Amino acid sequence: MTQRLKYVIFSLIILASGLAWGQDTVVSKLHLKIYDEGVCYPMVRSNNYSETYRPYPLTVLQSAGYYSTIFATVRATGASDLNPQHDHKTLSSSLQFNNKLDYVLVIFRSKGFDRTTPDSMVIKISELDCDAQLVLPFKTGKYNLQKMKFFTPIKKNEAPNFLSTESYGIKNELKLDSTAYFANGKSKALYYEVAASFNLFFVQEFDSIDPMSYAQGFRLMSNYHYPAHDKKLPIAVYGNKETNKYGYWEYFENGVCIQHEMWTGWLNGQYVWYPSRKIKWENHFDYYSQKPNKVYYLENGAIKENFYLDETSRVPLLKIYAYSDDGHVAIVKTFKSANGITKQELVKRELFYPSGQLKMEENFTGNYTVKYFNENGTERIK
């Protein structure tokens, strides 16, 4: 009897520990969109973040460029996988928090490369028991997350719904340095000074006819000549070369964002959307490994084409997808392609069952081969 009682007590202890452990692992996701002086600074996962080694404070996010004027750290009462992520579509980032732990999120902002005495925004996070989103105009001070002006709870695993900047009353506060004009007198470009010592400018470039069609982002202009601030410049976009783009660029048509780009001396990320806000194509390029990866989509989300570098042969390939009337992949053709547009040589053709299983595969490189497959994946001898 005594032995049985001990077993029951021991089982209850184990069960209670398991329940407590399970409760401790319940997490909520916080989506952040950060502005400084009215300009959005997209934050990406910090280069210093580690999933295994977690000193506190732990650097979790940094602005997307080596001129990182903004970065974020987290202090916590216990170990927690914060899992910092970036959402290119909304120019926001996210962190996940254990709802049984207390955290302190600190946003640091430095002007220039001297980061010895950065400004800081301290945000206390306690018992965050739901997913949420937060628009964060940088302002020094101490805050409680749930009491902040633009804190909004959202449904579990729901995508954030960041409305236009105007809906939050966030305006560009940077100092206008100069204006360029078209021959018809309309503004061609506005140059706002971000960091004089770094020659970094926030630039808005307009269409000559429709001012609601424009692009905006940062440019590094080392050859920029400072005019008098009241002087109007009837010139083209100053230093209008792609290589001086820096960080994120946004493109608008009729006031709606249709494209994002990420620049670090070269274009290494690009996202374009249909008017329905469904992804139209995305383009990634790893400069160091010279690896392109460009994917085109149909408006229903299905892949239309994929341009990529084959890891084994190092040959750039273009895959083209064809679909049946009921929407399943019917045929995939793979071509050699130097630029992702021109089809140079057919490498492979694949046919698929309605279930998505491979039905036939033809290879055209070297000696021609063809294979047939049953729907269960086994090879079929025809």
Side-chain angles (χ1 to χ4, degrees):
M1 182 69 180
T2 305
Q3 188 67 24
R4 184 178 297 177
L5 180 60
K6 288 181 179 179
Y7 176 78
V8 171
I9 294 173
F10 178 76
S11 299
L12 289 173
I13 292 173
I14 295 297
L15 178 60
S17 300
L19 288 173
W21 182 87
Q23 289 174 348
D24 282 348
T25 58
V26 174
V27 296
S28 298
K29 184 174 289 188
L30 177 65
H31 302 269
L32 297 162
K33 189 163 185 174
I34 298 177
Y35 290 83
D36 184 29
E37 297 184 290
V39 176
C40 181
Y41 281 76
M43 306 286 281
V44 298
R45 183 188 182 109
S46 170
N47 295 328
N48 298 320
Y49 181 76
S50 170
E51 295 177 350
T52 54
Y53 175 61
R54 299 193 185 116
Y56 287 97
L58 177 60
T59 303
V60 289
L61 299 169
Q62 65 184 52
S63 48
Y66 66 88
Y67 188 82
S68 299
T69 58
I70 300 176
F71 65 97
T73 68
V74 171
R75 298 195 300 268
T77 56
S80 176
D81 183 9
L82 298 162
N83 192 30
Q85 299 290 329
H86 177 68
D87 181 359
H88 295 274
K89 187 173 182 179
T90 60
L91 297 187
S92 66
S93 52
S94 65
L95 298 167
Q96 62 181 24
F97 297 99
N98 186 314
N99 63 3
K100 297 298 181 182
L101 300 179
D102 293 332
Y103 300 84
V104 177
L105 171 65
V106 184
I107 312 295
F108 291 98
R109 180 192 65 183
S110 299
K111 292 294 186 181
F113 289 109
D114 181 7
R115 298 169 192 156
T116 55
T117 56
D119 297 323
S120 62
M121 186 175 191
V122 181
I123 302 170
K124 183 179 178 181
I125 301 173
S126 299
E127 298 183 0
L128 182 62
D129 57 2
C130 65
D131 286 3
Q133 64 183 54
L134 176 67
V135 175
L136 193 68
F138 184 88
K139 188 175 181 180
T140 57
K142 295 183 179 180
Y143 303 88
N144 184 305
L145 174 67
Q146 284 88 337
K147 295 181 179 179
M148 296 183 75
K149 183 177 181 181
F150 300 127
F151 172 82
T152 307
I154 59 177
K155 293 180 181 178
K156 190 70 176 176
N157 297 322
E158 182 181 63
N161 180 24
F162 292 109
L163 303 175
S164 65
T165 306
E166 289 74 16
S167 65
Y168 295 99
I170 300 173
K171 301 296 182 183
N172 182 2
E173 300 172 10
L174 296 173
K175 186 176 182 179
L176 181 63
D177 180 85
S178 56
T179 305
Y181 291 88
F182 288 105
N184 61 9
K186 291 187 176 181
S187 295
K188 183 168 188 176
L190 301 176
Y191 298 92
Y192 296 90
E193 186 178 272
V194 177
S197 60
F198 192 51
N199 296 317
L200 182 65
F201 291 81
F202 179 71
V203 185
Q204 293 178 313
E205 301 174 359
F206 300 93
D207 182 79
S208 60
I209 299 173
D210 181 11
M212 293 297 286
S213 294
Y214 62 96
Q216 63 183 24
F218 296 96
R219 284 190 183 274
L220 282 168
M221 298 188 292
S222 58
N223 62 341
Y224 188 83
H225 299 291
Y226 291 93
H229 289 293
D230 59 350
K231 182 179 179 182
K232 305 303 181 183
L233 299 179
I235 60 174
V237 175
Y238 204 95
N240 190 18
K241 54 184 179 180
E242 299 300 275
T243 54
N244 70 8
K245 287 185 177 179
Y246 179 88
Y248 274 90
W249 272 71
E250 302 173 282
Y251 295 78
F252 294 82
E253 283 186 4
N254 299 318
V256 177
C257 187
I258 61 167
Q259 180 175 333
H260 288 157
E261 294 176 350
M262 174 61 187
W263 292 79
T264 52
W266 59 88
L267 178 63
N268 59 4
Q270 199 169 26
Y271 302 82
V272 180
W273 292 278
Y274 288 102
S276 62
R277 296 299 292 161
K278 298 291 182 64
I279 187 72
K280 188 174 185 179
W281 51 266
E282 56 183 316
N283 178 23
H284 302 273
F285 183 73
D286 187 329
Y287 181 80
Y288 297 102
S289 63
Q290 300 293 301
K291 286 170 55 178
N293 186 11
K294 191 170 187 177
V295 185
Y296 295 85
Y297 298 91
L298 300 173
E299 199 160 0
N300 63 8
I303 296 176
K304 180 182 178 182
E305 297 179 5
N306 182 201
F307 175 58
Y308 64 100
L309 185 73
D310 182 80
E311 294 283 356
T312 304
S313 65
R314 302 294 294 178
V315 173
L317 300 174
L318 176 64
K319 276 190 175 184
I320 300 178
Y321 295 73
Y323 295 84
S324 65
D325 291 340
D326 59 3
H328 79 265
V329 177
I331 304 173
V332 176
K333 294 181 180 180
T334 304
F335 296 86
K336 289 183 180 179
S337 176
N339 54 14
I341 301 173
T342 307
K343 306 177 189 70
Q344 295 173 309
E345 179 185 336
L346 181 61
V347 174
K348 183 190 294 185
R349 179 167 57 188
E350 299 162 287
L351 304 183
F352 295 85
Y353 289 102
S355 64
Q357 290 292 330
L358 182 62
K359 184 176 184 179
M360 183 193 76
E361 178 183 270
E362 289 180 285
N363 285 284
F364 298 90
T365 55
N367 295 325
Y368 171 82
T369 60
V370 58
K371 292 182 179 180
Y372 299 89
F373 300 88
N374 297 309
E375 201 162 358
N376 64 5
T378 59
E379 189 172 349
R380 176 166 58 91
I381 307 300
K382 190 172 181 179

